[in-house]
Amino acid sequence: MSGTADGRGSAGAGGPVLEMRAITKTFPGVTALSDVNLTVRPGEIHAICGENGAGKSTLMKVLSGVHPHGSYDGEVRFEGEPVALKDIRAAERRGIVIIHQELALVPYLSIAENLFLGNERTTARGLIDWDATLREAARLLRRVGMRDRPQTPVADLGVGKQQLVEIAKALAKEVRLLILDEPTAALNDEDSAQLLDLILELRGQGIACIVISHKLGEIRRIADVVTVLRDGRTIETLTVRDSPAAEPRLSEDRIIRGMVGRDLDHRFPDRTPFEGHRDVALEVRGWTVRHPVDHQRKVVDDVSLTVRHGEIVGIAGLMGAGRTELAMSVFGRSYGIYVSGSVAVDGREAVTRTVPRAVAAGIAYVTEDRKHYGLNLIDSINRNVSLASLPGMRPPGPGGRGFVDEHHERAVAERYRATMNIKAPTVFEQVGRLSGGNQQKVVLSKWIHADPKVLILDEPTRGIDVGAKYEIYTVVDQLAARGKAVLLISSELPELLGMCDRIYTMAEGRLTGEVPRGEATQEVLMRHMTKDRG
């Protein structure tokens, strides 16, 4: 089914600023886009939704010149004219600027130097005009609501401000169409709200924005129109609101139905009630860790918790509560300076002072940052799946030590590609080419194959669409049904409420509450999460 918007655009009269017609893009063995159409009007916030692998990022790479003209079929028209963009610079010269999910700033350069990198303000002699650079940088920073000095190194900024610097950098290029790919994926609630307000301000200035996001609540807040992609095709284009000031009339459930092709009446699998008499699989006692730089500050302070076999236990907390610090320090003391505490697995004290020892003790950790810590992005699916269990990949016989049985490795990866529904042409596909949801499935496959007793999941569905989320929830539920102990860290309270048997809450490095499933609500959890440690 295909649909179009009703012709309403926030700019009122006038033609579209962008038309993409019958765009088709293929890679070896994969058709990423097939006859995709997209129309954006001036001053419109146009959201693009779809499951991971639907073709959203590929479409934007076509538009921004990452995939140059000639590498795809179809036509791109900008401001009424056909354009043949050969690279990113050509797109930027036309006023089309993309901000990727992974920010492209140089941390050791100043804000001003980043703003004009490749777009320098120079004197008549070709030298950098530092007075003009700093003056223009200050003006751009004010425009995006930042009060930082232009000379500030980008490394000294938080992720939220770095995202604002990226937008200021786009404004320096006289942007007319701004593309934002998952702009709030790594931001806390406060930074996300500030960024969304800025996007609304840009709309008021007549700048068209295309926003790719899995956060449907944010889309309903800011978008005028939504185009839904599924399996590389345009499914429909829907009106979110009748005017920029109007309330959204498009529900999240309606967007989801377009994305997955069906209603998701239940966003979480039905959990079999946990049998509370099962043995304790993981026990953490008196765990205390100091900050790696500020040695006086405790990031984890006297935390004690338990997880039983077959139980899914959540940890809720605001940004900076110490959830990830707790998980990483328990898993091989990967973060901070250990002060005190012990870990027991199946009732026996476990030595977890290094990652290999933590793995040997039966603990696995799925990091919140899969791209940096969970995967080798330049290697294949089969190599990534085997990384946590290489000793089991040895060829048989005494001469196999130090070698990998590639046939066995491939067979294991093929099994997980099928059972985890990893969308890739072969297990030799480079992991960096996969969508976020499929990358997360590879991380889970790696640790599931290691057969741990305890699985710590840190933001396991961050940046993943609702369809892939349900698949991962189902895998986690199946692991618990097999007797695995699961510790689930999430910033999404509905996720914790939908998946967990018990939920611990943290604030400022300490546990502030323990709530059973039957008593857990968002209000109860938030009350515990905001407790003064007193």
Side-chain angles (χ1 to χ4, degrees), residues 408-476:
H408 178 49
E409 182 182 56
R410 177 178 180 179
V412 168
E414 289 284 9
R415 184 171 77 247
Y416 283 105
R417 183 166 75 104
T419 58
M420 299 286 284
N421 192 28
I422 299 171
K423 296 177 181 177
T426 73
V427 295
F428 301 110
E429 181 75 4
Q430 185 175 311
V431 168
R433 298 179 184 272
L434 303 181
S435 66
N438 288 304
Q439 288 180 352
Q440 191 70 345
K441 292 174 185 177
V442 173
V443 177
L444 283 169
S445 299
K446 175 181 74 173
W447 287 115
I448 291 170
H449 186 65
D451 195 27
K453 298 173 181 176
V454 178
L455 186 61
I456 304 173
L457 304 176
D458 194 351
E459 303 286 2
T461 63
R462 173 172 286 171
I464 294 175
D465 64 81
V466 290
K469 280 184 177 182
Y470 188 86
E471 291 180 315
I472 288 174
Y473 294 149
T474 301
V475 170
V476 173

Side-chain angles (χ1 to χ4, degrees), residues 140-153:
L140 290 167
L141 291 179
R142 287 194 300 272
R143 192 172 172 188
V144 299
M146 288 181 64
R147 298 181 179 179
D148 300 78
R149 297 175 68 248
Q151 298 93 333
T152 302

Side-chain angles (χ1 to χ4, degrees), residues 68-311:
H69 180 75
S71 68
Y72 59 88
D73 295 323
E75 182 184 31
V76 178
R77 298 181 67 86
F78 187 67
E79 296 181 329
E81 301 175 356
V83 292
L85 304 173
K86 64 178 183 178
D87 54 29
I88 295 176
R89 295 294 294 272
E92 290 179 345
R93 283 194 293 270
R94 292 301 303 257
I96 302 171
V97 181
I98 185 169
I99 299 176
H100 296 280
Q101 184 175 349
E102 288 79 29
L103 303 182
L105 300 174
V106 182
Y108 302 110
L109 296 183
S110 68
I111 294 174
E113 289 168 322
N114 271 279
L115 288 179
F116 301 106
L117 191 62
N119 186 31
E120 288 81 5
R121 300 300 185 254
T122 57
T123 65
R125 297 172 57 190
L127 302 175
I128 292 179
D129 186 336
W130 287 109
D131 288 337
T133 296
L134 295 174
R135 186 169 58 250
E136 180 71 3
R139 184 186 69 82
L140 290 167
L141 291 179
R142 287 194 300 272
R143 192 172 172 188
V144 299
M146 288 181 64
R147 298 181 179 179
D148 300 78
R149 297 175 68 248
Q151 298 93 333
T152 302
V154 163
D156 293 348
L157 303 177
V159 178
K161 286 188 175 181
Q162 289 185 26
Q163 188 73 271
L164 296 179
V165 171
E166 282 278 24
I167 293 178
K169 187 176 179 180
L171 295 175
K173 298 170 182 174
E174 299 182 4
V175 60
R176 293 193 290 280
L177 175 62
L178 180 63
I179 306 163
L180 299 120
D181 191 353
E182 296 289 351
T184 64
L187 304 187
N188 60 32
D189 291 343
E190 182 180 350
D191 288 339
S192 294
Q194 183 179 358
L195 179 60
L196 296 177
D197 287 341
L198 176 57
I199 294 172
L200 291 171
E201 289 180 22
L202 296 178
R203 176 178 65 183
Q205 297 168 19
I207 297 173
C209 293
I210 296 176
V211 178
I212 297 174
S213 179
H214 292 126
K215 299 182 178 180
L216 302 186
E218 293 181 355
I219 286 174
R220 292 183 71 250
R221 176 183 167 188
I222 66 171
D224 303 304
V225 176
V226 172
T227 291
V228 178
L229 301 184
R230 186 167 73 237
D231 297 328
R233 296 179 179 274
T234 309
I235 300 302
E236 54 192 351
T237 297
L238 305 165
T239 299
V240 178
R241 52 176 43 82
D242 295 313
S243 69
E247 290 296 313
R249 60 181 177 87
L250 189 66
S251 69
E252 290 187 26
D253 287 343
R254 178 63 185 85
I255 300 172
I256 290 170
R257 188 161 72 244
M259 289 170 59
V260 302
R262 65 189 186 280
D263 288 313
L264 279 183
D265 297 326
H266 303 287
R267 298 197 189 182
F268 304 96
D270 292 329
R271 287 255 322 129
T272 302
F274 170 71
E275 298 176 9
H277 64 270
R278 294 188 182 180
D279 294 334
V280 172
L282 173 70
E283 183 175 8
V284 178
R285 296 185 294 265
W287 198 258
T288 301
V289 176
R290 296 189 184 276
H291 191 277
V293 177
D294 181 1
H295 298 177
Q296 300 304 310
R297 181 159 65 94
K298 293 178 181 178
V299 291
V300 181
D301 189 358
D302 195 29
V303 168
S304 298
L305 58 80
T306 60
V307 187
R308 296 178 181 274
H309 284 286
E311 189 180 26

